[in-house]
Amino acid sequence: MVGKHPCPECGANLEWSPKAQSLQCPYCGTLVPWNDAQREELGSAVVEQDLMVALQNPEAGRGWGQQRREVQCQNCRAISVFVDGRTAQRCDFCGSPAIVAHEERNDAITPQSILPFKISDGQIRDRIRQWYGSRWFAPNKLKNAALTDTLKGLYLPYWTFDAHVQAVWQAEAGFYYYTTENYRDANGNSQTRQVRHVRWEYASGQLAHFFDDALVPGTVGVQPKLLRKIEPFPTTTDLQPYTPEFVRGWTVERYQVDLGQAAQINMQEMESTVEQLCASQVPGDTYRNLRVQCQYQGRTFKHTLMPVWLVGYTYGSKNYQIVANGYTGQIAGEQPYSWVKIMLAVVFALVIGVLLLTAVR
């Protein structure tokens, strides 16, 4: 693991500043640009790891190689990792005070890469306020509060997977054609109409596709459906080799979806994608009985950390989350609804509808 980068002014450990996009001393504020020489110190570029080798030799590449402290929330079960000696009074994911020390184990696969924060807390607070302002059916009390005081910057565990796939498919391709049909309407008058039919033909084909950095979250602290809405992260272009400077002063979640589970999730998602790609190749207007056979080669993975801003709050008796991509600024969230506003909107729409009908008559 790379050594520490001390502040040239006071000697404290430098931390990553998303606002300055450089290393910064948390005590005296000195900025130290993240330059090519420091990148070279970390070694070569981010490297893909062979998936089958890692699954067959599960003891390799484990242990973070640095002193850290872990705590686990007894409410949401998220495990937070601190590498700078900090302690936590509440869970950064759900706000619960029920956190206990978690045994530091060396069985976690070492993060090989990281996507540093690019959007600062000030920028994201403004975007979250705008997001709240656009929630028309949220209670007024929620909009006025804005709730950005609970904003937390987190590095979430992710797995990325690469694979080449060769697929062959067979299906029945359907082609629409129409005939004219005579019928009598309700008044007994003779009418004609077009009736659609399907002509079925055998079809087959092949597909070659490359999955590049397909993402599988390893987090249990943030809802997967919200994470999907703030993806993608630019993992194919902007990842950096992992170094503690990027995570000092931040909370890191330890993955609880392990490599084997993530690989299975990735396989299911790839199979679904391949089926959709093959379906798009079937000629005609519709299809049935699609059968796909796949061969996957060169499956590789990376364990990486992704930057996410999180707001967790309770409204009434329910917990809600708002998440933001710490690199692109994309926001997704949950909100309570004001049923009074919804009822008023329905009544207003009905009134407008009645007025329009009256005007037409």
Side-chain angles (χ1 to χ4, degrees):
M1 186 64 62
V2 67
K4 299 178 180 179
H5 289 108
C7 172
E9 297 296 331
C10 69
N13 292 328
L14 297 173
E15 299 176 359
W16 177 254
S17 167
K19 183 177 181 179
Q21 284 296 287
S22 68
L23 297 178
Q24 185 173 26
C25 178
Y27 298 98
C28 68
T30 299
L31 294 175
V32 178
W34 187 245
N35 53 44
D36 292 338
Q38 290 168 316
R39 290 189 180 94
E40 291 176 1
E41 183 182 340
L42 298 178
S44 59
V46 177
V47 177
E48 298 283 344
Q49 307 293 316
D50 187 284
L51 177 61
M52 295 307 298
V53 170
L55 293 177
Q56 293 171 359
N57 184 19
E59 300 302 319
R62 294 177 181 266
W64 281 39
Q66 62 193 69
Q67 186 177 4
R68 67 189 189 280
R69 182 174 182 269
E70 295 182 0
V71 296
Q72 183 169 34
C73 176
Q74 300 302 288
N75 180 45
C76 71
R77 311 307 297 176
I79 299 175
S80 299
V81 181
F82 303 97
V83 301
D84 55 1
R86 289 189 301 130
T87 58
Q89 301 300 320
R90 291 180 176 272
C91 175
D92 283 342
F93 296 92
C94 69
S96 171
I99 54 176
V100 297
H102 182 263
E103 181 184 357
E104 297 180 12
R105 297 179 297 175
N106 290 326
D107 62 351
I109 293 177
T110 309
Q112 297 124 356
S113 56
I114 188 171
L115 188 66
F117 274 89
K118 189 174 183 180
I119 305 295
S120 69
D121 58 342
Q123 292 173 304
I124 215 64
R125 287 180 194 277
D126 291 339
R127 297 189 186 195
I128 290 177
R129 291 189 185 98
Q130 294 172 2
W131 184 87
Y132 277 124
S134 66
R135 306 297 100 180
W136 303 111
F137 293 112
N140 288 332
K141 185 184 299 184
L142 179 67
K143 289 185 180 182
N144 294 334
L147 300 175
T148 55
D149 57 323
T150 62
L151 184 68
K152 303 289 185 182
L154 310 166
Y155 279 108
L156 300 187
Y158 262 82
W159 304 99
T160 74
F161 293 94
D162 288 5
H164 292 272
V165 60
Q166 297 285 338
V168 293
W169 59 265
Q170 297 176 331
E172 293 179 76
F175 298 83
Y176 295 150
Y177 68 96
Y178 298 85
T179 60
T180 302
E181 179 182 79
N182 295 315
Y183 73 101
R184 291 188 179 276
D185 61 20
N187 297 321
N189 300 319
S190 179
Q191 303 285 349
T192 62
R193 61 188 173 192
Q194 293 294 104
V195 179
R196 190 178 75 182
H197 306 275
V198 183
R199 183 182 74 255
W200 295 103
E201 296 181 0
Y202 172 79
S204 63
Q206 298 180 355
L207 172 75
H209 185 74
F210 176 58
F211 289 94
D212 189 8
D213 274 9
L215 295 173
V216 176
T219 175
V220 299
V222 179
Q223 298 183 28
K225 65 179 182 179
L226 295 180
L227 287 177
R228 291 305 186 192
K229 292 180 180 179
I230 66 169
E231 294 173 359
F233 295 89
T235 57
T236 60
T237 56
D238 294 1
L239 284 182
Q240 301 285 345
Y242 173 81
T243 176
E245 278 72 15
F246 286 129
V247 300
R248 285 199 184 97
W250 304 85
T251 298
V252 181
E253 184 184 6
R254 184 188 188 277
Y255 67 81
Q256 294 190 65
V257 177
D258 64 24
L259 179 59
Q261 293 172 307
Q264 292 178 0
I265 294 171
N266 169 246
M267 177 58 75
Q268 294 170 358
E269 293 178 346
M270 287 195 298
E271 289 177 343
S272 177
T273 299
V274 169
E275 183 172 334
Q276 294 174 17
L277 292 173
C278 290
S280 68
Q281 291 187 350
V282 180
D285 304 299
T286 186
Y287 68 91
R288 67 184 183 187
N289 297 328
L290 175 65
R291 298 176 297 280
V292 180
Q293 293 181 320
C294 299
Q295 286 188 340
Y296 295 90
Q297 295 180 332
R299 291 190 69 188
T300 60
F301 78 97
K302 297 189 299 292
H303 172 32
T304 187
L305 300 177
M306 301 297 184
V308 169
W309 291 105
L310 173 67
V311 171
Y313 65 95
T314 300
Y315 193 90
S317 60
K318 188 175 179 181
N319 296 324
Y320 299 89
Q321 286 185 335
I322 301 168
V323 297
N325 189 312
Y327 200 87
T328 66
Q330 181 67 35
I331 292 177
E334 305 170 297
Q335 66 175 80
Y337 289 90
S338 169
W339 297 109
V340 173
K341 288 186 177 183
I342 293 174
M343 291 300 298
L344 289 175
V346 171
V347 171
F348 180 76
L350 291 174
V351 171
I352 294 298
V354 170
L355 291 177
L356 290 175
L357 289 175
T358 303
V360 171
R361 293 177 181 176

